[in-house]
Amino acid sequence: MNTLTRIFENKIISIVRGAKPEDTLKIAKALRDGGIRLIEITLNSPNALESIELISQELGEEMVVGAGTVLDPETARAALLAGSKFILSPTVHLETIKMTKRYGAVSIPGAFTPTEILTAYENGGDIIKVFPASVGPNYFKDIRGPLSHIPLLPTGGVTLDNIAEFQKAGVVGFGIGSSLVDAKQEVNERYLMELTQKARSFVSAIRS
């Protein structure tokens, strides 16, 4: 199964920002145990490439790892060589999209307005990350009126309370950050158990 198909199938991309490499593998395993199969390591995290490589090697096909907050093609290439299967950006950076596609990976550029979303898609974006999603599900419903052919991934503002409404709006997946993984907390046994349960809750919310 290719990466794009796995994203469409599993839907939830857990965003891990700010965690140390020694904690990211523990977090990834806890998320896996809760049914999540997609994880994004943001590149403004400590030694992010090391974390990507570690998860890719240790969890293999159990967890598809990608890189987030990718701002330029050189950084995208480094993340891909470390094991990233998909690249997320906060903006529409055409050279970053081209580099990602050159390596056969999934490109998820970030956009907000209809013009940005269409531009990102027409230039090779496989899925368009709409950020911030805190504008609410109705915005996605409205955008999908004229742009129903473009796969949208709300990110920034998706919670357990609203994820079902986003799904009803017709999005293909969800980028979920601090409402799932709060890397500021101490990553101990209790935290990891709670994280697994929270992951199960998110998965259940989109399956019901």
Side-chain angles (χ1 to χ4, degrees):
M1 190 183 298
N2 66 34
T3 300
L4 188 59
T5 301
R6 293 187 70 177
I7 293 173
F8 287 148
E9 182 178 279
N10 292 284
K11 300 183 184 301
I12 294 174
I13 299 176
S14 176
I15 302 166
V16 180
R17 184 185 304 277
K20 300 173 184 176
E22 57 266 30
D23 290 332
T24 53
L25 184 59
K26 297 175 186 176
I27 290 169
K29 288 179 177 178
L31 290 167
R32 175 204 61 191
D33 293 345
I36 288 176
R37 296 290 179 266
L38 309 163
I39 187 169
E40 168 195 339
I41 306 299
T42 66
L43 292 190
N44 55 356
S45 302
N47 300 309
L49 295 179
E50 182 183 336
S51 293
I52 290 168
E53 189 171 6
L54 191 61
I55 293 169
S56 179
Q57 290 176 350
E58 292 287 329
L59 296 182
E61 290 297 308
E62 292 183 89
M63 181 71 78
V64 183
V65 61
T69 318
V70 180
L71 303 178
D72 55 72
E74 292 78 19
T75 306
R77 182 176 182 274
L80 293 164
L81 292 174
S84 294
K85 302 299 183 185
F86 55 95
I87 297 292
L88 293 101
S89 301
T91 62
V92 182
H93 193 280
L94 301 186
E95 292 304 315
T96 299
I97 296 173
K98 289 178 185 176
M99 179 65 75
T100 303
K101 302 304 291 180
R102 187 178 302 159
Y103 277 78
V106 172
S107 174
I108 310 178
F112 188 75
T113 67
T115 299
E116 291 172 345
I117 290 168
L118 183 61
T119 298
Y121 185 71
E122 289 184 336
N123 282 276
D126 296 293
I127 299 170
I128 309 306
K129 179 179 85 169
V130 181
F131 173 85
S134 52
V135 289
N138 285 339
Y139 181 72
F140 291 80
K141 184 178 178 181
D142 292 341
I143 288 291
R144 291 196 72 254
L147 301 176
S148 60
H149 61 294
I150 301 180
L152 302 179
L153 182 94
T155 304
V158 180
T159 68
L160 265 177
D161 293 329
N162 62 25
I163 192 169
E165 292 302 312
F166 277 106
Q167 182 155 288
K168 288 177 185 175
V171 302
V172 301
F174 319 88
I176 304 177
S178 58
S179 61
L180 179 55
V181 178
D182 182 1
K184 293 178 181 178
Q185 294 190 40
E186 182 184 353
V187 181
N188 54 30
E189 188 173 344
R190 178 178 177 180
Y191 171 80
L192 294 170
M193 288 176 63
E194 291 175 350
L195 178 58
T196 294
Q197 186 54 52
K198 197 181 295 185
R200 287 194 184 112
S201 296
F202 270 101
V203 172
S204 178
I206 63 169
R207 297 284 186 254
S208 57

